[in-house]
Amino acid sequence: MNPLSNLDNVQPDELSDEPVVVLNLLAFKSPDSVSRYLDYGTEFLRSFGQRGAEVLYCGKLMEKVQGDAGDWDVVLLVRYPNRKFFYDMLRSEEYQSFSYLREQALADGVLQPSEALLPYRAQTIEFSGGDWMVELQSRLEAR
């Protein structure tokens, strides 16, 4: 489950300096493992949120209207300053020091960088509520 084992096989030789949005698909081992993933999310935000990693969207997947992309519980879209930052982060000792929390929580996961095909405008939208946001904020404030 640790992406480090596959990075040498997938990382391109040339990496764009443009921001990159990474698709995260998550399948949890059990409902109880969500708490472990929130532990991971807390460490991730504490370590890399100040350096430019930003969760753009996190949502519980609902009914399938068309096609079959597998059985996932949650989708996350995370923007990083660029692909080099993303790959360097995954290889870093800092990330590796808490990535075991993600491994303990997930039965399966996908990390897939994307490249913009249409121009987009980054705009912060403030959401209120959300179970995960409330929990992450309280965990970040507790330390």
Side-chain angles (χ1 to χ4, degrees), residues 23-80:
L23 169 69
N24 293 248
L25 295 173
L26 312 177
F28 294 104
K29 290 180 178 177
S30 72
D32 294 335
S33 63
V34 171
S35 179
R36 203 64 165 155
Y37 191 82
L38 290 172
D39 291 339
Y40 162 81
T42 302
E43 294 303 319
F44 173 83
L45 290 173
R46 183 175 291 116
S47 296
F48 298 102
Q50 298 292 329
R51 296 184 231 172
E54 178 185 11
V55 176
L56 299 178
Y57 178 78
C58 176
K60 177 181 172 185
L61 290 167
M62 307 304 280
E63 68 276 358
K64 295 177 188 176
V65 175
Q66 182 179 18
D68 187 6
D71 291 319
W72 303 102
D73 299 314
V74 169
V75 60
L76 275 152
L77 297 175
V78 182
R79 181 175 48 217
Y80 296 92

Side-chain angles (χ1 to χ4, degrees), residues 118-134:
L118 294 172
Y120 69 93
R121 183 179 67 182
Q123 177 180 350
T124 301
I125 301 171
E126 296 295 327
F127 290 97
S128 61
D131 295 343
W132 281 27
M133 183 55 75
V134 171

Side-chain angles (χ1 to χ4, degrees), residues 1-7 40 43-44 47-48 51 86-104 111:
M1 181 59 61
N2 189 325
L4 186 61
S5 64
N6 197 37
L7 289 185
Y40 162 81
E43 294 303 319
F44 173 83
S47 296
F48 298 102
R51 296 184 231 172
F86 172 67
Y87 284 107
D88 287 349
M89 177 198 73
L90 293 175
R91 285 188 169 90
S92 73
E93 288 183 28
E94 185 174 8
Y95 179 83
Q96 291 301 314
S97 74
F98 62 83
S99 66
Y100 72 92
L101 297 167
R102 180 179 183 271
E103 295 171 41
Q104 290 176 351
L111 293 174

